[in-house]
Amino acid sequence: MCGMPQQPPIRSTPTRPSRPDASMSLITNVMDHSLDDGYAEAAARKKAAGEDGLPRTLRARLGLAVALVLAALVVTVGAAQARVAAPTVAKERQELIDRIDRETAAADKLERDVDKLRGDVSERQGQALRESGGNTRADLVGILAGATEVHGPGVKLVVDDAKEAATGGGGNPRETAGFSDTGRVRDRDMQRVVNGLWQSGAEAVSVNGQRLTALSAIRAAGDAILVDNRPLVPPYTVLAVGDGQRLSTRFQNSPDGLYLHALQDNYGIRTSISVESDLRLPAAPSVIVRTAQPSTEKDTS
């Protein structure tokens, strides 16, 4: 009977105690000595020498004292000057306010005088026209000249900037030297609108309450549209007295009406037109009558 071979007994070797890990020793050293020895020694030497950051010599102390005295003197003088000048500044400010009030009152008086004289001139013009051609002719001339208030059927046209105009607009830029935002209504746009209404049969036209005459001008100042030097704010409301339905149809089919429609399609400018049964247009603020005179100078060329 054969027995299975026996394995030799496994001998155990005694283990030696392991050395402490080098990294653990470094961490322990850092934790125990958080302040560098060099810094600690320098602080100790400075403390032993009595150096606390302040000058120790007499000359240095005198310099520091003089600097502090000068700083205090500057502050004191500044405060004293401000206290002395305060009444003068308040007096000058009050004088300026009084002057503004006087000039404003004088301007208001002149404006009332202008309104009174304008009414006198209108009355004399009407009287002269009545004497020369009757009331009908006087009324017609007054309406055409914009010197009298009118009312009747007509067309109300509202033109406004595009919705995105406030944030810079978009699309391809239009050819212009004054307006960088393609979604904004420009002065030449309003010129074409007004001229188109005149050509379509309008008898009287106003823009945002400003009555237009033969001497009126629509211009631009920066990004603002001026009518007779008065700035307007969008939306621009154009009122035109005339044969309402016919005036509306003729204007929308005119080149200027098609131009306005193209602005709406291409640049988002908002427009609306409606026929009104009764519109009221104010008189023009000032109508200056100019008369041509023959030249008496001889031509020397």
Side-chain angles (χ1 to χ4, degrees):
M1 183 173 176
C2 296
M4 295 183 63
Q6 296 181 356
Q7 295 181 354
I10 299 174
R11 298 180 180 177
S12 59
T13 59
T15 58
R16 293 182 299 174
S18 59
R19 296 174 58 189
D21 188 77
S23 60
M24 292 299 296
S25 176
L26 179 60
I27 293 175
T28 304
N29 186 26
V30 170
M31 294 295 294
D32 293 340
H33 303 87
S34 59
L35 182 62
D36 186 77
D37 294 339
Y39 286 106
E41 293 178 2
R45 288 195 304 268
K46 187 174 181 181
K47 183 176 181 181
E51 298 178 1
D52 54 357
L54 295 177
R56 292 299 178 180
T57 64
L58 179 61
R59 184 176 180 180
R61 291 183 178 181
L62 289 176
L64 179 60
V66 171
L68 293 176
V69 170
L70 289 177
L73 182 61
V74 170
V75 174
T76 303
V77 171
Q81 289 180 349
R83 188 179 300 107
V84 171
T88 304
V89 173
K91 182 180 179 181
E92 293 178 353
R93 181 175 180 274
Q94 187 60 42
E95 290 178 353
L96 182 59
I97 293 175
D98 295 340
R99 182 180 177 184
I100 293 174
D101 292 338
R102 289 194 302 269
E103 296 297 333
T104 302
D108 293 339
K109 183 178 181 301
L110 290 176
E111 187 174 357
R112 290 192 297 268
D113 293 342
V114 168
D115 293 337
K116 182 178 178 181
L117 293 174
R118 184 182 295 122
D120 188 20
V121 170
S122 299
E123 184 178 354
R124 291 177 183 270
Q125 287 178 346
Q127 183 179 357
L129 290 173
R130 285 190 295 269
E131 292 176 355
S132 61
N135 294 335
T136 303
R137 183 180 178 184
D139 294 340
L140 178 60
V141 172
I143 292 174
L144 296 178
T148 59
E149 181 182 355
V150 297
H151 72 92
V155 168
K156 178 181 179 182
L157 176 63
V158 180
V159 184
D160 197 1
D161 296 338
K163 291 183 178 180
E164 64 273 12
T167 58
N172 296 325
R174 292 189 281 174
E175 296 179 358
T176 176
F179 287 69
S180 58
D181 191 344
T182 57
R184 298 196 61 180
V185 180
R186 303 178 300 184
D187 56 334
R188 77 175 188 181
D189 301 334
M190 295 306 302
Q191 291 173 4
R192 295 201 60 168
V193 168
V194 171
N195 290 333
L197 289 171
W198 285 122
Q199 294 175 359
S200 299
E203 300 174 4
V205 179
S206 69
V207 181
N208 283 19
Q210 296 294 321
R211 180 76 173 275
L212 302 182
T213 67
L215 303 176
S216 297
I218 301 177
R219 297 188 178 93
D223 287 347
I225 295 179
L226 306 182
V227 173
D228 291 337
N229 294 325
R230 295 177 179 268
L232 304 183
V233 178
Y236 307 103
T237 302
V238 184
L239 302 180
V241 173
D243 187 349
Q245 188 59 52
R246 182 183 179 187
L247 178 60
S248 175
T249 302
R250 293 184 63 179
F251 171 75
Q252 295 186 65
N253 293 332
S254 68
D256 297 313
L258 296 177
Y259 169 81
L260 187 61
H261 186 68
L263 293 182
Q264 183 178 6
D265 291 342
N266 296 329
Y267 303 103
I269 290 178
R270 293 167 289 177
T271 64
S272 63
I273 187 170
S274 60
V275 177
E276 305 293 333
S277 60
D278 187 25
L279 296 174
R280 292 188 175 273
L281 278 63
S286 63
V287 178
I288 303 175
V289 179
R290 295 182 174 90
T291 304
Q293 299 290 341
S295 176
T296 58
E297 297 180 359
K298 296 181 179 180
D299 188 4
T300 58
S301 61

